[in-house]
């Protein structure tokens, strides 16, 4: 999902809802768009599903040659493969084409002591050939329980059993643990086992596993520090990208749910106001405001004056099919057709850089602020000294808004350690991929494009990157609630009318979707997994 946003260009271009606007008649959203850096666009002619991914921009020293850090890709059958690295190494005794590991012994270590010679030869054999048993016995990769609760041999047997029964989820988590432990040999071996188990055209778990594996390979090869420099693939054209997002928007109700709940809260708060100013912290194509403008146009007593401030940097113009000026023109045409007095204010700046002077707030306006799928892109105290999440909330509170809307993915990937974060990502996106599988036929020719362009980059970012490079930092609503309360906000309950409207919307989708109201917030989920939370504040 919503599936990135930005410290590097990703922060600025990765919005969970860049929607196409066919003259504003319909709209869509995708969980993230890293528009300047993303997995390569595919050519799926002839039924081939290929995915080009990481092209490393850094040398990696003595990384094992058969997991080349610069050539992670997908084979024609959809399985990740690694191809020979084109880099050439200096011709020396410790790093030759035939010796990818630094040898502990050289010609000068020969001795007349026979036992010592045998010992050295054994060391060399171990370094060159290794032993699967020794690899697993020397590292903690237990899947269940705490470290040291079972013997190293039992841990190895447990991993082998997981592999033998084809437990893709178990092998992915085992590999994530090896990567977390900087255990390249174990991770390399598990990656080789995972390759034939995943496919971008298979079952939901196989498809998700392909992108999770890609994230592990990217993390192992570059530690996430240069992943966006490495993702250098051809971007789709604006129309192609919009079609993927539109399709995802239509087949999944999560995004409609988010916009509908936010618009309902704004309409309720502004029902008696004559001059309304809406600040959208990442407006994308402005499609969220189509239905709201139409609803306000039909208000008894005549429509209010509406001004919208659209925040979005120029990097995202690719996804919009044009700059903020074009967005303003489209919304203006719509408002004119509805006889709604309208004004658009463009703020071409990254959301995390916004200050009061960028918002153009005027006296006498009723202010509404919209944070739809965007706050999780803002760095907080876990990233650096500048906590933009809390800073922005305090800034907005100082403007005394009538209502502030928050829509976010209900996932915990911000400060969680790597392995729990990996498991959370696996669980969260499994629900997304399952829901797509129900509503979009497996053989649908554009399904791979939808998952690749709208979800895969987000997944890879969560797994492969750290620090400022990791911009997909979701938090659970409980944490967002604490941030809003600390900034001085109080909850603004959503109206029962809005809740009923959203329930009617879900009737058009699979019965496995569910809507639940808890503690003044709405949660939309798939089966037993919450996926999107929506709430309002004042």
């Amino acid at each position: 999902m919503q599936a990135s946003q930005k410290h590097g260009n990703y922060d600025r271009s990765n919005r969970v809802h860049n929607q196409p606007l066919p003259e504003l008649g319909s709209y869509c959203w995708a969980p993230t768009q890293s528009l300047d850096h993303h997995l390569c666009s595919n050519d799926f002619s002839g039924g081939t599903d290929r995915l080009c991914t990481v092209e490393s921009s850094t040398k990696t020293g003595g990384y094992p040659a058969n997991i080349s850090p610069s050539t992670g890709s997908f084979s024609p059958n959809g399985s990740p493969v690694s191809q020979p690295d084109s880099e050439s190494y200096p011709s020396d005794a410790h790093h030759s084409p035939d010796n990818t590991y630094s040898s502990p012994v050289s010609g000068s270590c020969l001795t007349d002591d026979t036992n010592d010679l045998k010992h050295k030869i054994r060391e060399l054999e171990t370094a060159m050939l290794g032993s699967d048993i020794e690899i697993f016995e020397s590292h903690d990769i237990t899947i269940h329980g705490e470290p040291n609760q079972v013997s190293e041999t039992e841990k190895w047997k447990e991993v082998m059993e997981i592999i033998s029964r084809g437990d893709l989820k178990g092998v992915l988590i085992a590999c994530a643990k090896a990567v977390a432990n900087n255990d390249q040999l174990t991770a390399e071996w598990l990656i080789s086992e995972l390759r034939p188990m995943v496919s971008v055209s298979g079952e939901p778990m196989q498809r998700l596993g392909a992108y999770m594996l890609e994230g592990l390979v990217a993390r192992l090869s570059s530690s996430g520090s240069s992943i966006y420099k490495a993702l250098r693939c051809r971007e789709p054209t604006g129309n192609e990208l919009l079609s993927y997002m539109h399709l995802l928007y239509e087949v999944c109700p999560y995004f409609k749910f988010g916009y509908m709940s936010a618009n309902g809260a704004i309409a309720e708060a502004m029902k008696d106001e004559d001059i309304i100013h809406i600040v959208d912290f990442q407006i994308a194509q402005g499609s969220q405001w189509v239905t709201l403008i139409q609803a306000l146009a039909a208000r008894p007593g005549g429509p209010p004056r509406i001004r919208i401030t659209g925040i979005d940097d120029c990097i995202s113009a690719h996804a919009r099919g044009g700059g903020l000026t074009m967005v303003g023109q489209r919304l203006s045409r719509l408002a004119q057709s509805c006889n709604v007095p309208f004004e658009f204010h463009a703020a071409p700046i990254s959301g995390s850089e916004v200050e009061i002077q960028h918002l153009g707030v005027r006296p006498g306006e009723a202010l509404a602020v919209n944070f739809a799928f965007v706050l999780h892109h803002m760095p907080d105290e876990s990233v650096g000294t500048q906590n933009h999440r809390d800073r922005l909330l305090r800034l907005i509170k100082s403007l005394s808004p009538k209502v502030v809307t928050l829509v976010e993915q209900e996932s915990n990937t911000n400060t969680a350690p790597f392995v729990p974060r990996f498991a959370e990502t696996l669980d969260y996106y499994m629900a997304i991929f399952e829901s797509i599988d129900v509503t979009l036929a497996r053989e649908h020719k554009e399904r791979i494009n939808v998952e690749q362009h709208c979800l895969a980059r987000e997944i890879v970012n969560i797994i492969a990157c750290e620090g400022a490079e990791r911009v997909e930092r979701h938090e659970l609503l409980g944490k967002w609630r604490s941030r809003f309360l600390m900034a001085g906000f109080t909850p603004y309950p959503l109206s029962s009318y809005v809740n009923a409207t959203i329930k009617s919307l879900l009737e058009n989708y699979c019965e496995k979707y569910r809507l639940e109201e808890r503690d003044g917030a709405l949660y939309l989920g798939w089966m037993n997994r919450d996926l999107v939370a929506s709430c309002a504040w004042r």
Side-chain angles (χ1 to χ4, degrees), residues 268-297:
E268 178 73 16
M270 300 296 182
K271 61 184 178 181
D272 297 322
E273 300 295 337
D274 294 326
I275 305 175
I276 299 172
H277 182 191
I278 300 171
V279 175
D280 189 343
F281 259 78
Q282 205 166 25
I283 195 167
Q285 297 162 55
S287 302
Q288 177 177 349
W289 310 115
V290 174
T291 54
L292 183 62
I293 291 174
Q294 292 170 339
L296 292 175

Side-chain angles (χ1 to χ4, degrees), residues 17 19-28 249 259-260 263 266 278 280 283 285-298 306 308 327 330-338 340 342 370:
H17 64 290
Q19 322 92 326
L21 256 168
E23 287 307 306
L24 301 183
S26 62
Y27 50 101
C28 76
Y249 179 83
Y259 294 140
M260 186 178 295
N263 285 354
I266 294 172
I278 300 171
D280 189 343
I283 195 167
Q285 297 162 55
S287 302
Q288 177 177 349
W289 310 115
V290 174
T291 54
L292 183 62
I293 291 174
Q294 292 170 339
L296 292 175
I306 301 175
I308 293 180
V327 174
R330 290 170 174 169
L331 290 175
S332 296
R333 287 197 298 268
L334 172 71
Q336 184 177 16
S337 69
C338 298
V340 174
F342 181 81
N370 184 55

Side-chain angles (χ1 to χ4, degrees), residues 224-414:
S225 63
S226 60
I227 184 63
Y228 290 109
K229 294 178 182 178
L231 293 174
R232 294 174 177 172
C233 297
R234 182 185 67 85
E235 291 184 346
T237 66
N239 289 337
E240 286 175 342
L241 189 58
L242 296 183
S243 67
Y244 306 152
M245 298 167 197
H246 180 78
L247 184 57
L248 182 62
Y249 179 83
E250 290 301 325
V251 301
C252 293
Y254 311 118
F255 323 126
K256 292 179 182 178
F257 157 80
Y259 294 140
M260 186 178 295
S261 58
N263 285 354
I266 294 172
E268 178 73 16
M270 300 296 182
K271 61 184 178 181
D272 297 322
E273 300 295 337
D274 294 326
I275 305 175
I276 299 172
H277 182 191
I278 300 171
V279 175
D280 189 343
F281 259 78
Q282 205 166 25
I283 195 167
Q285 297 162 55
S287 302
Q288 177 177 349
W289 310 115
V290 174
T291 54
L292 183 62
I293 291 174
Q294 292 170 339
L296 292 175
R299 197 170 72 174
R305 297 184 63 86
I306 301 175
R307 188 160 68 98
I308 293 180
T309 292
I311 301 170
D312 210 2
D313 62 273
C314 59
I315 303 298
S316 298
H318 173 78
R320 291 191 298 262
L324 282 171
T325 300
M326 183 175 293
V327 174
Q329 291 172 348
R330 290 170 174 169
L331 290 175
S332 296
R333 287 197 298 268
L334 172 71
Q336 184 177 16
S337 69
C338 298
N339 295 317
V340 174
F342 181 81
E343 181 182 348
F344 183 79
H345 171 226
I349 188 172
S350 171
S352 62
E353 300 172 357
V354 167
E355 301 287 352
I356 287 181
Q357 62 267 24
H358 299 125
L359 303 180
V361 176
R362 301 170 184 168
E365 294 177 328
L367 180 64
V369 178
N370 184 55
F371 289 113
F373 305 105
V374 66
L375 268 183
H376 73 274
H377 293 156
M378 309 299 176
D380 68 352
E381 68 278 2
S382 66
V383 180
T385 56
Q386 289 187 306
N387 181 349
H388 289 291
R389 296 188 186 192
D390 293 343
R391 179 188 71 81
L392 287 172
L393 292 182
R394 291 192 300 268
L395 183 152
I396 295 304
K397 180 59 179 175
S398 71
L399 299 175
S400 301
K402 292 278 291 187
V403 65
V404 177
T405 53
L406 174 73
V407 183
E408 279 292 349
Q409 290 109 311
E410 184 69 357
S411 182
N412 182 22
T413 62
N414 184 22

